[in-house]
Amino acid sequence: MADMKTIGFAIVAIILVIIAAIGFYEYSITNSKYLSINSQYQSLDSQYMSLQGNYTNLNKTYSQLASEYKTLEGMYQTVLMYAQNNYTLYKQAESNYTYYKMLYEQMLQQLSKLNVSGYRPGAALATVMQFYDGIAIESPSDVLPFLANNFTAYIMGQPFAGTYNLTSFNETWLSDFFGTYETVYFYTTALPTVTQINGNTFNITDVVQYFVAPTSDPVYLQVFNASNTIVVQFIHGVPEITELVWKGNEVSPSAVIAGYPSQHSLEANQVLEEFLSQINALGAEFPASVISQNFAPNAQLILMGQLPPVFKVGTYNGINNIEKVFSTWDTYFIFALTYVQNLLPNGTAVPPTVKVNLSPSNATAEVIANDTVFFGFVNQGEPNFPMIYDIHVDIMAYFVYNTSTASWQIVKEIWNATEVNALSDTIYYNLNQPIMKVTGEDTVTVNATSGQGYVLQVGNVMVIVKPHTYAELANGTMLPVYNFSLITFSLEAVYPPAAQYNLTPLYAFAFAVNNQITPTISLVTIVNGKVEAQPAITIVWAPDTWTSWTWFGGTFNGTAYIGGSYKFADHWLYGNGVMINVQFFKPVIWVFESSATPVGQPPKPVEVSVGTAYGLTPVNVYSYEINGTQGGVAYAGDMIVVIQPNTKIVTPSGNLTEFNFSVVFYNPSNAGTAPNGQVPILAFAYAINGNVTFSYSAVNSITGTANPFITIILTPSQNVTMWTWGAKGYIFEDPIIVGNGVVINLTFFKPVPWILTAPEITSSSSIMTSSTTTSTTSTSTSSSPYWG
């Protein structure tokens, strides 16, 4: 037997199906009305989204009701599904529908009370602003939806003047605008004015400014200032633009942005920066690729006028040929100075002139620097070294803006060059003509037949003229009496010798014979009837980073030596803080040069044991390793001893070319009373490998004659005498050359003791007067034998 509940439910279901059928018919009619009302509501809702105040609150209420209505609609769908089987559910749905219909009608009554026309001005204005924004976005899809089918545009002035309908405005004006400008910004200078013409038509007037950057020339920032009148009409409830009247003109950015520089001035600065970068690269000797980096690939460089011989005038086409010119520049000049100016007709110097032409299709510029000056120092090894060129160049540079590289490029540059004397630009600075100006001088009258020697000194330079030194002229004349001068010079336009990059010229000195500085004169002596060179001895107190180069070929007027050039490097012997030359026998110029590293090497100090010698007790000793072939300098306190080149030491057991040379100082009191009532003030000896002996001799390894040790003693020198000392005490007096505070001997060739003596100062002679002159004399013995 069937379950009673099941049977009951079946009966109810049948009843519900019948009721549902009837209810579905009623629901369809009601739902159709509902859908119609809902469509009207959706239309009204789209118009009221921008309403303010009480409309916003009402719209919120409406949204809530609409949401509930949609929920009801969903419920109806569910009810309909169940109504087919349940009549009771249908009745409930019908009741609910009636209730929500009442609520919906109440909402419509409230909406009908709204003044819709009060919100249309805002909708019209919003349409205009969206139209402007669509133009800035540069998309037709953001512009055309706001234009009516009967749209007409009257464009007067800038940009793209003309009359357009909807189609031509899209295909012509918008196409031109979007194709011409790549970056667009806009704003209105004041709040637009909205005027209602009738219930559906509004008139909007405003002033809008568009900032645009042309695609072809992004550097050309343009500003369009447009006074616009726009008609907006509500068509089928939708606001659309039916007419546009655009009155536009172009203004500079500086006219609308206070303090903003003009676009021309901004680009002029950029162009000038690139031009000056090229000039700076020429002065800095940058690589050719850097100098020419702002030239276009097909640029032209035109050279005219006077240029150094390595540059050929003419037209150079293409970046490769231009780089070759600048590569030659970089090679030819080791150093360059430059400045750029524009000279006005009245002689006033102003910065280079820049002219800029900006347009959407072709931006060009021109730089005029009619007095660009280059001081070019010719590189060593190049033609005309050490010439310094002063080149004045009239430069015209033409630029074009390259949109592909987003940069200005030089397409043509013209040089019209003129060479001038550097002194015309450097009135007080001589850069071209070597000039050596006298800064110091010491002169003596030499008498070669007197047997005297002479000492001259200027600053840190001392020169010894040996006894019996003649001046031989170019014609063979031998001058026994002549004026001999030691002269020092300052330098102008004297640069390092060729290929000597590490040398810096300091100052110069020269010998002069009868005020002549020339290699045609020689210092000589007569040996066994034969004329031989007799070099003066030059002592310079200087570090081992100094050397000199011989210079001649110019002229000497008594106050300056003008012209000439380097001839060869000189050879010096170096000691501790002193350099000696024993080769100079021509009255020419020598230029001191300083190096960053040592040029010569002083002898190496060594420890040598020495003992008493002929009754003298040693108190101090200076010893050095000496290579006799090369020579050397022993610096011992206030004494300088020169071991001349090609020296060998002859000893009973053999000859020495490498040996230890010592200067031994003794206690002067061991020497007792000196001859002529004088007293010993200095006692010293030379030692070879520690030996002080009369059996050793210094001999020239080439000539076989004696090769004396040159002895310079810085000591009180008034009325002094020098004596050779041996087992018997004072043996004989030695010849000496006496200067102011210096005693010199040129005859010592044996390692034996010597005693320097001076008059004893007593109470009766404690007050005495003396006088000195710039000339110096020497004392010498008569015909007594001496080792020398």
Side-chain angles (χ1 to χ4, degrees):
M1 185 173 180
D3 190 345
M4 291 302 293
K5 291 182 179 180
T6 302
I7 295 173
F9 181 78
I11 294 171
V12 171
I14 293 172
I15 296 172
L16 287 174
V17 168
I18 297 171
I19 295 172
I22 299 171
F24 183 76
Y25 171 77
E26 292 292 333
Y27 170 76
S28 297
I29 296 173
T30 303
N31 188 55
S32 175
K33 293 179 180 181
Y34 160 74
L35 290 175
S36 175
I37 293 172
N38 186 54
S39 175
Q40 294 178 24
Y41 160 74
Q42 292 293 339
S43 175
L44 289 172
D45 181 62
S46 65
Q47 296 180 39
Y48 298 145
M49 292 301 294
S50 60
L51 298 180
Q52 301 172 357
N54 61 338
Y55 172 76
T56 300
N57 295 330
L58 181 59
N59 186 54
K60 184 180 300 183
T61 302
Y62 163 75
S63 297
Q64 293 174 350
L65 291 175
S67 176
E68 293 176 1
Y69 183 77
K70 287 186 178 293
T71 302
L72 174 61
E73 184 180 17
M75 293 174 62
Y76 279 159
Q77 295 294 333
T78 303
V79 169
L80 287 175
M81 181 181 67
Y82 287 102
Q84 296 174 1
N85 301 310
N86 195 322
Y87 177 75
T88 302
L89 293 176
Y90 166 74
K91 286 295 185 179
Q92 182 180 356
E94 184 179 35
S95 176
N96 288 340
Y97 167 75
T98 302
Y99 172 72
Y100 285 110
K101 179 181 179 181
M102 178 189 68
L103 293 177
Y104 187 70
E105 289 175 347
Q106 291 176 354
M107 184 241 354
L108 290 178
Q109 291 176 0
Q110 292 176 347
L111 289 176
S112 65
K113 297 177 181 179
L114 295 175
N115 182 10
V116 177
S117 62
Y119 299 93
R120 287 187 174 184
L125 178 59
T127 300
V128 171
M129 299 307 290
Q130 288 176 297
F131 166 73
Y132 286 154
D133 190 49
I135 294 175
I137 295 173
E138 297 191 276
S139 171
S141 62
D142 291 309
V143 176
L144 297 179
F146 304 102
L147 305 182
N149 291 332
N150 61 342
F151 171 78
T152 304
Y154 303 94
I155 307 296
M156 291 170 279
Q158 296 291 334
F160 318 123
T163 300
Y164 304 89
N165 58 24
L166 178 63
T167 301
S168 61
F169 186 78
N170 176 37
E171 296 178 353
T172 304
W173 198 92
L174 289 179
S175 178
D176 290 344
F177 193 96
F178 298 161
T180 303
Y181 307 111
E182 65 175 17
T183 303
V184 181
Y185 301 94
F186 86 96
Y187 63 90
T188 58
T189 61
L191 292 176
T193 300
V194 181
T195 304
Q196 185 172 4
I197 299 176
N198 55 48
N200 292 321
T201 306
F202 296 86
N203 197 54
I204 290 89
T205 59
D206 60 23
V207 175
V208 64
Q209 289 179 341
Y210 275 91
F211 282 71
V212 298
T215 303
S216 59
D217 287 301
V219 298
Y220 182 22
L221 179 62
Q222 295 176 269
V223 180
F224 295 127
N225 188 80
S227 297
N228 295 338
T229 300
I230 301 177
V231 177
V232 178
Q233 185 175 353
F234 282 82
I235 302 174
H236 302 299
V238 178
E240 295 181 350
I241 299 173
T242 58
E243 182 178 282
L244 166 66
V245 178
W246 172 300
K247 298 179 181 179
N249 64 299
E250 183 178 351
V251 296
S252 67
S254 58
V256 297
I257 304 177
Y260 191 84
S262 70
Q263 196 66 16
H264 285 74
S265 66
L266 287 175
E267 296 312 313
N269 290 338
Q270 180 64 31
V271 169
L272 183 59
E273 188 277 332
E274 290 192 10
F275 175 76
L276 294 178
S277 175
Q278 176 203 349
I279 302 301
N280 177 70
L282 287 165
E285 297 291 318
F286 287 156
S289 59
V290 176
I291 300 173
S292 58
Q293 63 183 344
N294 293 320
F295 281 79
N298 60 344
Q300 280 188 335
L301 176 63
I302 302 174
L303 301 182
M304 300 185 298
Q306 301 171 316
L307 286 165
V310 297
F311 300 100
K312 295 182 179 180
V313 299
T315 300
Y316 296 85
N317 294 306
I319 192 66
N320 291 334
N321 290 323
I322 292 173
E323 285 188 1
K324 289 178 182 178
V325 174
F326 293 142
S327 180
T328 301
W329 176 282
D330 186 40
T331 301
Y332 189 64
F333 295 118
I334 187 64
F335 180 70
L337 300 172
T338 184
Y339 62 88
V340 184
Q341 63 183 6
N342 213 30
L343 288 182
L344 302 180
N346 63 1
T348 302
V350 297
T353 301
V354 185
K355 299 178 181 178
V356 176
N357 174 41
L358 298 178
S359 68
S361 59
N362 183 33
T364 62
E366 176 183 305
V367 177
I368 303 172
N370 63 16
D371 192 40
T372 301
V373 181
F374 293 100
F375 282 87
F377 294 70
V378 176
N379 204 347
Q380 296 175 348
E382 295 293 330
N384 295 334
F385 173 82
M387 179 73 173
I388 299 176
Y389 285 95
D390 186 354
I391 308 170
H392 287 233
V393 187
D394 182 357
I395 299 180
M396 298 280 290
Y398 299 90
F399 290 75
V400 167
Y401 188 82
N402 186 325
T403 56
S404 299
T405 61
S407 65
W408 289 94
Q409 291 184 330
I410 302 172
V411 293
K412 180 191 288 187
E413 189 168 276
I414 303 173
W415 286 32
N416 192 351
T418 303
E419 293 180 14
V420 303
N421 190 314
L423 290 177
S424 65
D425 283 327
T426 57
I427 300 175
Y428 304 105
Y429 298 91
N430 173 30
L431 298 177
N432 274 337
Q433 179 67 50
I435 298 178
M436 305 181 187
K437 295 182 179 179
V438 174
T439 58
E441 181 175 347
D442 191 5
T443 300
V444 297
T445 299
V446 174
N447 186 339
T449 62
S450 68
Q452 291 184 336
Y454 305 87
V455 180
L456 302 91
Q457 185 168 0
V458 178
N460 64 331
V461 182
M462 178 182 290
V463 173
I464 303 167
V465 180
K466 300 175 183 177
H468 311 295
T469 298
Y470 295 82
E472 182 183 31
L473 305 183
N475 59 8
T477 300
M478 302 280 285
L479 298 180
V481 179
Y482 54 91
N483 289 329
F484 180 89
S485 301
L486 168 64
I487 306 173
T488 58
F489 301 88
S490 62
L491 305 179
E492 290 184 10
V494 176
Y495 306 101
Q500 301 299 313
Y501 304 105
N502 64 322
L503 296 183
T504 301
L506 301 174
Y507 64 97
F509 75 99
F511 301 160
V513 172
N514 291 337
N515 209 38
Q516 296 183 66
I517 300 176
T518 170
T520 62
I521 299 175
S522 302
L523 302 179
V524 299
T525 191
I526 301 174
V527 179
N528 298 324
K530 183 180 179 180
V531 177
E532 295 182 356
Q534 176 96 312
I537 300 166
T538 304
I539 304 102
V540 180
W541 281 266
D544 57 12
T545 54
W546 282 29
T547 186
S548 72
W549 278 63
T550 297
W551 177 294
F552 55 82
T555 57
F556 182 55
N557 60 15
T559 59
Y561 189 93
I562 303 173
S565 62
Y566 290 109
K567 303 306 177 184
F568 48 82
D570 306 313
H571 177 71
W572 293 81
L573 301 174
Y574 291 87
N576 184 17
V578 67
M579 49 194 286
I580 311 290
N581 191 286
V582 294
Q583 299 175 327
F584 297 157
F585 70 98
K586 295 280 189 181
V588 293
I589 287 183
W590 297 278
V591 179
F592 285 123
E593 312 280 347
S594 176
S595 172
T597 57
V599 179
Q601 185 65 45
K604 179 181 177 182
V606 294
E607 294 289 336
V608 175
S609 177
V610 296
T612 58
Y614 308 107
L616 300 177
T617 302
V619 295
N620 208 344
V621 60
Y622 295 82
S623 301
Y624 299 91
E625 287 183 357
I626 298 295
N627 182 319
T629 302
Q630 299 175 355
V633 178
Y635 203 120
D638 290 335
M639 184 179 297
I640 301 170
V641 182
V642 182
I643 300 89
Q644 299 187 71
N646 302 316
T647 293
K648 68 179 179 180
I649 304 300
V650 178
T651 75
S653 58
N655 299 332
L656 304 174
T657 55
E658 294 185 1
F659 48 88
N660 292 331
F661 182 88
S662 301
V663 180
V664 185
F665 292 97
Y666 301 100
N667 187 345
S669 64
N670 295 150
T673 303
N676 304 323
Q678 293 190 330
V679 295
I681 61 173
L682 180 66
F684 68 96
Y686 300 148
I688 304 298
N689 293 339
N691 297 307
V692 178
T693 173
F694 284 86
S695 62
Y696 287 11
S697 299
V699 176
N700 188 297
S701 59
I702 297 175
T703 64
T705 59
N707 215 26
F709 307 117
I710 299 170
T711 304
I712 302 106
I713 307 171
L714 303 177
T715 180
S717 58
Q718 188 170 0
N719 299 321
V720 296
T721 57
M722 182 76 75
W723 298 83
T724 298
W725 176 274
K728 296 181 179 180
Y730 293 96
I731 302 176
F732 51 80
E733 186 178 353
D734 299 296
I736 56 176
I737 302 172
V738 179
N740 185 15
V742 61
V743 175
I744 298 163
N745 184 279
L746 305 177
T747 63
F748 298 158
F749 69 97
K750 287 184 175 291
V752 297
W754 294 277
I755 309 296
L756 183 67
T757 66
E760 182 178 8
I761 298 177
T762 64
S763 58
S764 60
S765 61
S766 59
I767 301 176
M768 52 191 302
T769 60
S770 62
S771 62
T772 59
T773 64
T774 57
S775 299
T776 57
T777 59
S778 68
T779 12
S780 63
T781 61
S782 56
S783 58
S784 300
Y786 60 92
W787 283 276

